[in-house]
Amino acid sequence: MKFGYFDDVNKEYVITTPQTPYPWINYLGTQGFFSLISNTAGGYSFYKDARLRRITRYRYNNVPVDMGGRYFYINDNGHVWNPGWSPVKAALDGYECRHGLGYTIIKGSSQGISAELTFFVPQDFNGEVQKVSIKNTGSAVKKIKLFSFLEWCLWDANDDTTNFQRNFNTGEVEIENSTIFHKTEYKERRDHFAFYSVNAPLAGFDTDRESFLGPYNGFGEAQAVKNGKANNSVADGWSPIASHCLEIELAPGASKDFVFALGYVENPFAEKFAPDLGGSDKIGEKIITTGNSRKNIINKKRAYEMIAQCDTVEKADKLFNDLKAHWNALLGQYKVDSPDEKLNRMVNIWNQYQCMVTFNMSRSASYFESGIGRGMGFRDSNQDLLGFVHQIPARARERIIDLAATMMEDGGAYHQYQPLTKMGNHELGSNFNDDPLWMILAVAAYMKETGDFAILDERVPYENDESKAATLLDHMKRAFNHVCTKKGPHGLPLIGRADWNDCLNLNCFSAEPGQSFQTTTSKDGKVAESVMIAAMFAFIGPEYAAMCRVKGDNAEAQRAESEIAVMRKTVMEHGFDGEWFLRAYDDFGKKLGGKECEESKIFIEPQGFAVLAGLGKEQGADIKTLDSVDKYLNTKHGLVLNNPAFTRYYIQYGEISTYPPGYKENAGIFCHNNAWIICAEAETGRGDKAFEYYSKIAPAYREEISDLHRTEPYVYAQMIAGKDAARHGEAKNSWLTGTAAWNFVAVSQYILGIKPQYDGLKIDPSIPKNWAGFKLTRIFRGATYNITVKNPNKVSKGVTKLVVDGAEKAGNVVPPFDGGIHEIEVVLG
Ligand code: GLC
Ligand code: GLC
């Protein structure tokens, strides 16, 4: 069952009922100010850091689900409703939600009034603009009241939901004309405030939640709205809100537009306050403030400058069109026209869009991540970069430097850092032994995309300490050596606290309920080894050697290559189980993910990298391995992580065996690692298999089963319940997942096969045999490559002819150009 449809021309997903199986959300903002918005306008906003600068309040896991957001209520002669259905939930005559790239448009109509709400965060603007158009579609004059509503968060989202003994006393606001200001803690240490304004005179306002809603009422029963009259309440502690009340009169057929702006402002300390108003009658007349104090009045200059940028419909429309142009440019870097409509829509629109969102959010704020827990993940952000580097290389560069600065001198890294401070998170620390390798992969991807080899000479601190700065190449070296110098009894890499699989905690041995498997390590284990890190090392290690060559250090490149050769041999001796690769050795030196294991005889994670690295290829290990993956892990909804699932708790394996079978890391379909198998299948030339796995998990292909899948059909979820789960096929944890980047890599570089390299763009598709070919436009280092791939002989892989601007060339790598548009023809055979 579907709950909407794709509008590819407008690059939108159109939701046709407010009652989707779960809130289907979108993200607004790409720079500093961000909002989450659901299809009923639920959600919240923050500036840079979802925990430390939360602007509006949101209650996770609320009953009913998704209550709280930015709401517009209409009181039409006693008939109270919301254009976005929630929170009043009055039946609508019409409803539509269009989630587009960086904006959401919600339309609702009821009893002769239609309303269209457009929400977006303009470029270079620290705020959310809301354009509200109200139309009288009936035949009589209408006089309605429109109420806006949002609830302020007292900045630190964690403290806001826990520290009530303090917080119920601190809330402060100011109201000046049509703008409501939130200034809790501004008079003391904060240098920031928020505002919510509208470009029309008010009939009234409310800033105190209880006055607006009425005691014991929910958002759906707002008393002020019901009464058709705002209370002009001034928040004094408790829960400050912002609600404007407008009176609107509309002749039949007439419409009116309003622009609301929710903004965030930082003032330099010396400029925080307006001059003391002394005995001025501005207080109480023009400026209304908590406590009616003449002191500590906000200097609102910067806020008014922001408001002036969007105080007319024309200005708002211009900002909106600029935003659209911005996104079209970003997505225009890679555009495919293949015989598969769903693949086109994933590649050209939604997968790239999700990659940008994961770049911005890492794993911080979604409807599954509260924004108060994790900051930016080290391994996560490095992998996310693989999916967006072609869109905004300059920001990829900045991200690389930020990440490298959280590395430690031994080549390890803080596992997470806070985006506001960019400092490593000490509580969580380091010792996830896969982390350093992802950094090498990200830097390599950036250099291949841009040709900017000078980044390796950039001086970057260790542990954010400038006195410990060294070149980025030095960071790469230490990252590489981190693996070489931390090996266990079989010569395989020690796993540390965990590798990519956070839940495989071989040194943890937790027996305490509630103890965190991520932060608890009971031993500095010298036995438990990861075959996955070994396979990653074989695949990613050569990237380090290549960097050394780029910098002319052949001796170091050779040293690296000999380390890799040793590891390759070791994996085949101790890490291959005959038909697939083992997962690990536990702290007792026992095999995990092998035939002799009682449960979980095979894991997905090492297989893809081992095949991509060509481990044991000469003896057919690649095909055997991929056939085993198909045989033991494949289901109709994707590949499960491990099989058979763990059915009891194994203290020596950690969190993985805490999950019920079929969920998360215990035999869930973890979409992130499915991509590694897609890459590996494509690499070995099995394009049909690659496509089968790709289309099983890509959301556009699952749209028809949205009632089962439940999360958004336009973005990947981290996990789909595996075959051992009662709800097999149901997705959870949508949006913020490495699945986005890796599946984009899989489809763009391995299936469609357009792969940036140091010396140019390699074209090596691995497609379903029945495709006649495809066309693709790729902007690479400033030049436009118009690529036509023909497949006359119905093969999957193998370039037999390459024609560049009319001239036939050997091989399948097209060199970089100095700008211009170039026609490339490729024939497979
Ligand atoms: C989550 C984490 C990621 C980890 C994965 C597997 O997605 O964000 O870092 O690799 O789970 O445990
Ligand atoms: C939990 C999740 C895992 C995630 C980790 C991060 O263990 O299962 O997916 O990576 O938390 O803290």
Side-chain angles (χ1 to χ4, degrees):
M1 192 202 277
K2 299 205 297 179
F3 299 84
Y5 59 92
F6 286 95
D7 176 346
D8 294 338
V9 173
N10 288 306
K11 304 193 177 77
E12 293 170 336
Y13 191 79
V14 187
I15 301 168
T16 49
T17 165
Q19 284 161 288
T20 45
Y22 202 70
W24 285 0
I25 73 162
N26 194 13
Y27 285 83
L28 315 178
T30 59
Q31 293 160 311
F33 190 101
F34 296 98
S35 297
L36 283 71
I37 182 166
S38 71
N39 55 312
T40 58
Y44 59 93
S45 304
F46 63 93
Y47 176 71
K48 282 194 181 166
D49 191 314
R51 171 167 175 178
L52 299 176
R53 289 288 184 281
R54 185 76 66 99
I55 293 165
T56 56
R57 185 175 279 166
Y58 190 77
R59 293 167 190 80
Y60 278 89
N61 198 10
N62 209 349
V63 181
V65 75
D66 193 29
M67 273 293 136
R70 71 294 272 155
Y71 291 133
F72 289 96
Y73 299 83
I74 290 172
N75 182 331
D76 175 6
N77 212 6
H79 169 51
V80 172
W81 59 286
N82 306 103
W85 185 63
S86 213
V88 173
K89 297 194 248 169
L92 297 173
D93 300 332
Y95 164 89
E96 183 183 276
C97 168
R98 291 180 171 260
H99 283 317
L101 307 182
Y103 66 87
T104 288
I105 300 174
I106 298 177
K107 294 182 202 170
S109 57
S110 183
Q111 302 184 7
I113 292 285
S114 75
E116 179 169 327
L117 319 173
T118 303
F119 303 89
F120 65 104
V121 172
Q123 285 297 105
D124 305 314
F125 189 81
N126 286 333
E128 178 181 308
V129 174
Q130 305 162 347
K131 182 177 148 189
V132 176
S133 309
I134 311 273
K135 185 170 180 175
N136 179 357
T137 57
S139 51
V141 173
K142 287 267 194 187
K143 275 189 192 170
I144 63 158
K145 301 266 173 48
L146 173 73
F147 293 81
S148 68
F149 171 82
L150 55 81
E151 187 177 7
W152 301 114
C153 178
L154 308 187
W155 305 117
D156 178 333
N158 190 40
D159 189 73
D160 186 69
T161 46
T162 46
N163 194 8
F164 307 113
Q165 58 79 27
R166 169 179 164 83
N167 295 341
F168 284 170
N169 301 286
T170 55
E172 290 190 304
V173 297
E174 273 178 40
I175 304 101
E176 187 170 347
N177 299 323
S178 295
T179 307
I180 295 163
F181 295 85
H182 176 225
K183 61 173 205 176
T184 300
E185 294 187 349
Y186 186 71
K187 73 168 170 305
E188 29 128 350
R189 291 156 296 176
R190 294 191 183 274
D191 61 357
H192 47 265
F193 63 92
F195 66 83
Y196 191 32
S197 73
V198 58
N199 66 342
L202 302 186
F205 61 85
D206 272 295
T207 65
D208 172 60
R209 192 181 76 206
E210 207 174 67
S211 308
F212 178 76
L213 294 180
Y216 296 101
N217 284 349
F219 297 125
E221 304 146 301
Q223 195 68 49
V225 180
K226 202 170 161 209
N227 296 344
K229 193 171 167 9
N231 306 292
N232 295 349
S233 61
V234 183
D236 189 52
W238 296 107
S239 291
I241 60 154
S243 171
H244 310 93
C245 173
L246 306 182
E247 272 172 13
I248 305 170
E249 185 172 328
L250 292 167
S255 65
K256 280 191 181 153
D257 295 340
F258 304 91
V259 185
F260 291 78
L262 164 66
Y264 170 87
V265 178
E266 286 178 0
N267 272 341
F269 255 83
E271 296 170 29
K272 271 175 67 168
F273 301 109
D276 191 331
L277 294 178
S280 152
D281 59 6
K282 276 190 172 174
I283 290 290
E285 288 282 328
K286 193 160 174 279
I287 300 175
I288 303 166
T289 174
T290 303
N292 210 23
S293 164
R294 285 161 200 279
K295 291 195 185 131
N296 307 321
I297 299 297
I298 306 170
N299 171 1
K300 308 188 176 83
K301 184 168 163 279
R302 288 179 176 78
Y304 287 130
E305 283 166 7
M306 280 180 72
I307 292 168
Q309 287 181 51
C310 58
D311 58 359
T312 65
V313 172
E314 293 69 31
K315 289 186 200 173
D317 288 347
K318 162 103 179 38
L319 292 171
F320 185 66
N321 291 331
D322 290 349
L323 179 71
K324 279 195 159 178
H326 168 79
W327 275 106
N328 283 335
L330 284 180
L331 300 192
Q333 307 290 311
Y334 193 114
K335 261 200 303 223
V336 68
D337 178 10
S338 84
D340 191 294
E341 184 192 32
K342 297 187 174 93
L343 182 139
N344 296 345
R345 127 183 339 145
M346 287 308 310
V347 171
N348 296 339
I349 308 171
W350 295 101
N351 195 177
Q352 290 202 68
Y353 182 55
Q354 189 178 2
C355 286
M356 278 300 291
V357 172
T358 57
F359 157 63
N360 287 314
M361 298 289 130
S362 189
R363 307 294 170 266
S364 66
S366 74
Y367 269 29
F368 298 85
E369 299 277 10
S370 66
I372 58 179
R374 298 201 255 176
M376 311 285 284
F378 185 87
R379 80 155 81 84
D380 295 332
S381 295
N382 276 305
Q383 292 171 84
D384 291 347
L385 192 138
L386 308 175
F388 71 78
V389 59
H390 66 290
Q391 296 183 54
I392 36 163
R395 294 191 71 191
R397 191 180 208 275
E398 184 188 336
R399 178 63 54 81
I400 284 172
I401 304 292
D402 289 347
L403 286 164
T406 66
M407 283 178 65
M408 315 214 161
E409 286 177 293
D410 72 351
Y414 281 103
H415 196 53
Q416 291 168 7
Y417 74 97
Q418 280 309 124
L420 199 65
T421 60
K422 296 189 173 175
M423 301 293 267
N425 176 343
H426 284 270
E427 280 155 48
L428 192 51
S430 177
N431 289 333
F432 292 78
N433 285 351
D434 62 316
D435 275 342
L437 289 173
W438 300 115
M439 183 90 236
I440 296 177
L441 192 63
V443 173
Y446 168 79
M447 287 170 52
K448 289 176 186 172
E449 180 65 38
T450 58
D452 171 15
F453 304 149
I455 192 174
L456 293 174
D457 305 324
E458 201 71 41
R459 290 189 71 78
V460 186
Y462 285 103
E463 292 193 54
N464 303 102
D465 179 348
E466 284 297 339
S467 72
K468 296 182 189 161
T471 62
L472 185 64
L473 184 61
D474 186 71
H475 286 63
M476 297 296 97
K477 180 180 190 168
R478 295 191 202 195
F480 182 88
N481 288 345
H482 190 268
V483 178
C484 309
T485 55
K486 290 187 170 52
K487 291 185 188 167
H490 299 92
L492 292 162
L494 290 173
I495 196 165
R497 286 157 82 174
D499 59 24
W500 171 88
N501 190 332
D502 269 333
C503 300
L504 192 59
N505 317 109
L506 304 183
N507 292 305
C508 186
F509 296 90
S510 175
E512 276 297 309
Q515 195 169 52
S516 161
F517 290 92
Q518 261 79 50
T519 54
T520 312
T521 322
S522 48
K523 60 195 295 186
D524 179 19
K526 297 279 187 271
V527 178
E529 298 167 304
S530 164
V531 178
M532 181 193 183
I533 300 180
M536 281 175 69
F537 185 76
F539 177 60
I540 298 170
E543 300 288 359
Y544 168 63
M547 289 176 196
C548 297
R549 289 232 153 74
V550 162
K551 285 284 140 199
D553 191 348
N554 289 333
E556 174 64 3
Q558 275 166 18
R559 179 195 69 94
E561 278 153 1
S562 58
E563 288 282 3
I564 297 162
V566 171
M567 187 69 82
R568 294 179 72 92
K569 201 161 159 277
T570 309
V571 180
M572 292 318 292
E573 266 171 40
H574 300 292
F576 190 62
D577 209 33
E579 286 170 277
W580 61 84
F581 291 85
L582 297 173
R583 180 64 179 84
Y585 284 92
D586 68 16
D587 187 53
F588 306 101
K590 288 179 69 175
K591 288 177 184 172
L592 175 57
K595 290 177 187 154
E596 67 192 52
C597 297
E598 183 195 337
E599 297 186 309
S600 293
K601 294 172 189 288
I602 173 169
F603 283 74
I604 198 169
E605 302 104 313
Q607 320 304 339
F609 289 112
V611 173
L612 287 170
L615 289 169
K617 193 176 159 78
E618 56 297 338
Q619 63 200 65
D622 53 348
I623 298 301
K624 273 188 209 157
T625 295
L626 290 174
D627 286 346
S628 300
V629 166
D630 190 10
K631 186 165 168 197
Y632 300 110
L633 303 179
N634 199 3
T635 77
K636 64 179 175 184
H637 295 292
L639 299 163
V640 296
L641 190 146
N642 50 308
N643 189 56
F646 292 114
T647 55
R648 63 177 177 86
Y649 181 49
Y650 294 76
I651 195 170
Q652 70 274 32
Y653 300 155
E655 184 167 3
I656 189 166
S657 59
T658 67
Y659 283 116
Y663 290 105
K664 295 283 281 183
E665 281 87 340
N666 186 15
I669 296 158
F670 224 86
C671 299
H672 183 150
N673 55 38
N674 277 229
W676 302 333
I677 302 299
I678 300 170
C679 296
E681 288 285 4
E683 184 75 13
T684 56
R686 305 206 295 189
D688 283 296
K689 216 43 194 166
F691 182 78
E692 176 198 324
Y693 294 146
Y694 173 75
S695 57
K696 275 185 173 167
I697 59 167
Y701 296 84
R702 300 179 62 81
E703 187 195 13
E704 294 286 347
I705 52 162
S706 287
D707 45 336
L708 170 66
H709 184 78
R710 293 192 75 203
T711 59
E712 297 90 338
Y714 40 92
V715 290
Y716 284 98
Q718 179 201 53
M719 184 215 58
I720 298 169
K723 63 185 164 63
D724 304 283
R727 310 177 76 136
H728 184 34
E730 181 187 68
K732 288 196 189 107
N733 200 2
S734 56
W735 283 97
L736 303 186
T737 160
T739 307
W742 269 109
N743 277 276
F744 188 69
V745 169
V747 67
S748 66
Q749 299 190 25
Y750 286 86
I751 295 180
L752 299 170
I754 311 298
K755 231 180 176 175
Q757 308 229 306
Y758 290 110
D759 57 350
L761 209 51
K762 183 168 165 187
I763 304 183
D764 192 16
S766 191
I767 55 177
K769 291 197 184 73
N770 66 9
W771 280 20
F774 62 90
K775 280 186 190 306
L776 197 142
T777 301
R778 174 71 155 92
I779 298 178
F780 178 65
R781 300 192 200 170
T784 303
Y785 294 61
N786 287 329
I787 303 165
T788 305
V789 175
K790 294 185 177 159
N791 187 22
N793 297 322
K794 305 256 174 240
V795 300
S796 281
K797 189 175 158 110
V799 170
T800 54
K801 190 173 165 193
L802 170 70
V803 182
V804 179
D805 288 330
E808 196 163 338
K809 287 250 175 353
N812 61 351
V813 179
V814 188
F817 295 106
D818 210 5
I821 300 176
H822 304 274
E823 302 301 322
I824 322 287
E825 199 189 298
V826 173
V827 180
L828 304 182

